[in-house]
C-alpha cells in the first residue's frame, strides 16, 4: 500500500510592526523678538512677538509664510492674544500687564483695560473671548468684560478662588459653561448664562497646579506642570469626574487638540534652565486611557500651540514659529 507523504504545516508569517507616526516640519518663520503666543483665524496667524508687537502672517502655504500687517504697543511686549471677528485682544507688558483691544486694519484706533491711569493688583496673563465676553485671568483673578462694543469694554464680574492659585488662572468657555483653572486651587466650573452673576457649579481638586486647559466635547484636558496631562468627564459640569492622567517628560504647559490627538508642550529644566523642550502627541480616542504616540524634542523653549486640521503651529520663544505635521493619523 502506498504511504502518504506528510505535508509540512505552513509557518504563519510574523506580522511586521507598524512604526508609530513621526513629526515632520512643514515650515518655519524665524523672528528677532520673543515668540510668546499665537492665534489662528482662517489663513492668518497672529504672532505675539514680544517687543516687536503682533505680526500677522499669511499661512495659506505653510512652507512659505508671508508677513502682513504689524501692530506695536509703545515698546510693551506682546504676550498672549486671541482674535474674535475682526478684533484682536492682546495681553501686553512685562511686570504690569494690560489688555489692548485692537480692531484689525484700523490703524491706531484701540482701547485698553484697565484704562489709562488705572491698574490691577497683578498683571493679566491670559485672555479668552466668547459670545461678546472677554475672560481675563491672572493670579487669583477672573474677570468678565462685556466687549459687545470692543472699543468700550465694561467689567461686569470679578472673582477670586478661595485659596491662593500660585500660578496664573486660565479660562475655557463652551456655551454657557466656563471652566476656570486656578493653579494650586484646582478647577472650578460655572454657569455663565447670566455673566453679571455666574453660578458656581462644581470643582475638582487636582494633584498639581493647573497651567492650561482645553475642552473637547464633554471632556476637559488639564496640563498639570510636573504631573503631566489629566482628563475629566464634564458631561455634568457640576460634578467633574476623573478619567485618566499621564506623565509627560517634563513640565507640561500649553495644550491644543484636533480629533483623536491632543498635543502638549513640555519644558525639561535643569534647575531654572530649560535643557529640552518639545511637543508630545497623545492618543485620546479613549480619554480614559491616554497614550503617548510620539514626541518632537527639537524646540528651544516652547511657549504656545494651536492645531488646525493636520497642521500643528508652535511658538518657540527663541526660534519663532514652527509648523509641524504628524505622520498618518
Amino acid at each position: 500500500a502506498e504511504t502518504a507523504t506528510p505535508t509540512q504545516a505552513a509557518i504563519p508569517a510574523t506580522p511586521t510592526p507598524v512604526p508609530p507616526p513621526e513629526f515632520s516640519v512643514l515650515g518655519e518663520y524665524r523672528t528677532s523678538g520673543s515668540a510668546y503666543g499665537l492665534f489662528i483665524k482662517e489663513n492668518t496667524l497672529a504672532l505675539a512677538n514680544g517687543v516687536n508687537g503682533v505680526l500677522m502672517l499669511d499661512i495659506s502655504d505653510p512652507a512659505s509664510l508671508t508677513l502682513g500687517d504689524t501692530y506695536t504697543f509703545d515698546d510693551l511686549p506682546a504676550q498672549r492674544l486671541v482674535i474674535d471677528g475682526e478684533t484682536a485682544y492682546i495681553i501686553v507688558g512685562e511686570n504690569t500687564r494690560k489688555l489692548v483691544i485692537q480692531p484689525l486694519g484700523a490703524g491706531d484706533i484701540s482701547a485698553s483695560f484697565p484704562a489709562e491711569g488705572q491698574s490691577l493688583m497683578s498683571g493679566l496673563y491670559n485672555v479668552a473671548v466668547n459670545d461678546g465676553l472677554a475672560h481675563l485671568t491672572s493670579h487669583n483673578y477672573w474677570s468678565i468684560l462685556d466687549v459687545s462694543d470692543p472699543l468700550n469694554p465694561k467689567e461686569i464680574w470679578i472673582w477670586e478662588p478661595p485659596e491662593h492659585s500660585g500660578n496664573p488662572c486660565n479660562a475655557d468657555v463652551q456655551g454657557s459653561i466656563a471652566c476656570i483653572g486656578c493653579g494650586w486651587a484646582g478647577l472650578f466650573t460655572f454657569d455663565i448664562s447670566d455673566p453679571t452673576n455666574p453660578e458656581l457649579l462644581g470643582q475638582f481638586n487636582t494633584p498639581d497646579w493647573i497651567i492650561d486647559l482645553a475642552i473637547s466635547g464633554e471632556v476637559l484636558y488639564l496640563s498639570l506642570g510636573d504631573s503631566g496631562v489629566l482628563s475629566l468627564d464634564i458631561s455634568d459640569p457640576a460634578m467633574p469626574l476623573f478619567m485618566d492622567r499621564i506623565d509627560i517628560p517634563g513640565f507640561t504647559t500649553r495644550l491644543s487638540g484636533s480629533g483623536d490627538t491632543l498635543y502638549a508642550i513640555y519644558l525639561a529644566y535643569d534647575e531654572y534652565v530649560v535643557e529640552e523642550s518639545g511637543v508630545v502627541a497623545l492618543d485620546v480616542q479613549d480619554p480614559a486611557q491616554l497614550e503617548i504616540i510620539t514626541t518632537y524634542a527639537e524646540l528651544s523653549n516652547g511657549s504656545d500651540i494651536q492645531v488646525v486640521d493636520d497642521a500643528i503651529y508652535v511658538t518657540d520663544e527663541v526660534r519663532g514659529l514652527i509648523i509641524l505635521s504628524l505622520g498618518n493619523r
Side-chain angles (χ1 to χ4, degrees):
E2 295 184 4
T3 303
T5 303
T7 56
Q8 184 174 3
I11 300 174
T14 302
T16 303
V18 178
E22 295 183 354
F23 282 105
S24 60
V25 177
L26 298 179
E28 290 189 65
Y29 189 88
R30 303 298 294 270
T31 67
S32 58
S34 296
Y36 292 126
L38 64 92
F39 192 87
I40 299 169
K41 180 188 176 187
E42 298 172 351
N43 285 327
T44 299
L45 183 147
L47 176 65
N49 195 42
V51 293
N52 289 340
V54 172
L55 313 181
M56 308 299 288
L57 301 173
D58 184 335
I59 58 172
S60 53
D61 179 4
S64 180
L65 306 185
T66 56
L67 177 64
D69 293 337
T70 63
Y71 300 89
T72 56
F73 310 98
D74 300 323
D75 295 327
L76 296 175
Q79 304 277 359
R80 299 283 173 193
L81 80 167
V82 298
I83 297 175
D84 184 64
E86 297 301 318
T87 305
Y89 298 79
I90 308 130
I91 302 292
V92 304
E94 195 63 61
N95 297 319
T96 302
R97 304 184 182 192
K98 64 179 181 179
L99 174 72
V100 172
I101 302 174
Q102 176 70 60
L104 300 175
D108 296 332
I109 300 174
S110 65
S112 62
F113 179 85
E116 294 297 329
Q118 301 178 7
S119 62
L120 298 172
M121 291 293 291
S122 61
L124 301 172
Y125 280 82
N126 297 298
V127 57
V129 179
N130 179 269
D131 196 24
L133 302 172
H135 300 264
L136 307 178
T137 47
S138 182
H139 291 89
N140 306 311
Y141 175 85
W142 167 39
S143 170
I144 301 178
L145 302 186
D146 180 345
V147 290
S148 53
D149 179 1
L151 293 178
N152 293 286
K154 298 177 181 178
E155 188 172 59
I156 59 176
W157 168 260
I158 299 176
W159 178 83
E160 64 179 52
E163 298 179 3
H164 197 285
S165 65
N167 194 75
C169 300
N170 219 321
D172 203 347
V173 179
Q174 182 169 268
S176 62
I177 302 301
C179 296
I180 311 298
C182 298
W184 284 114
L187 173 75
F188 296 80
T189 57
F190 289 83
D191 182 339
I192 58 170
S193 300
D194 178 3
T196 65
N197 188 29
E199 176 189 357
L200 177 63
L201 297 176
Q203 63 185 95
F204 184 88
N205 294 323
T206 52
D208 209 334
W209 52 15
I210 300 172
I211 306 298
D212 196 15
L213 60 171
I215 299 175
S216 177
E218 296 182 340
V219 180
L220 175 66
Y221 298 99
L222 304 175
S223 62
L224 300 178
D226 289 322
S227 295
V229 173
L230 183 146
S231 55
L232 292 175
D233 179 346
I234 57 168
S235 54
D236 179 1
M239 189 179 293
L241 299 176
F242 174 84
M243 300 182 78
D244 196 15
R245 187 190 68 80
I246 189 169
D247 288 323
I248 301 295
F251 189 90
T252 313
T253 60
R254 296 287 166 174
L255 302 173
S256 185
S258 177
D260 293 330
T261 309
L262 179 73
Y263 300 89
I265 290 179
Y266 72 90
L267 305 168
Y269 289 92
D270 181 6
E271 294 184 350
Y272 297 103
V273 178
V274 177
E275 283 206 325
E276 180 184 311
S277 181
V279 178
V280 172
L282 296 173
D283 186 334
V284 295
Q285 293 183 75
D286 180 358
Q289 191 171 353
L290 305 176
E291 295 183 4
I292 293 178
I293 301 169
T294 190
T295 300
Y296 177 84
E298 303 301 322
L299 299 180
S300 297
N301 194 331
S303 52
D304 205 359
I305 185 168
Q306 187 173 342
V307 182
V308 178
D309 297 327
D310 296 327
I312 305 122
Y313 298 83
V314 184
T315 48
D316 186 309
E317 287 190 23
V318 178
R319 294 170 55 189
L321 175 70
I322 296 97
I323 307 171
L324 303 173
S325 177
L326 180 61
N328 298 317
R329 286 290 296 168

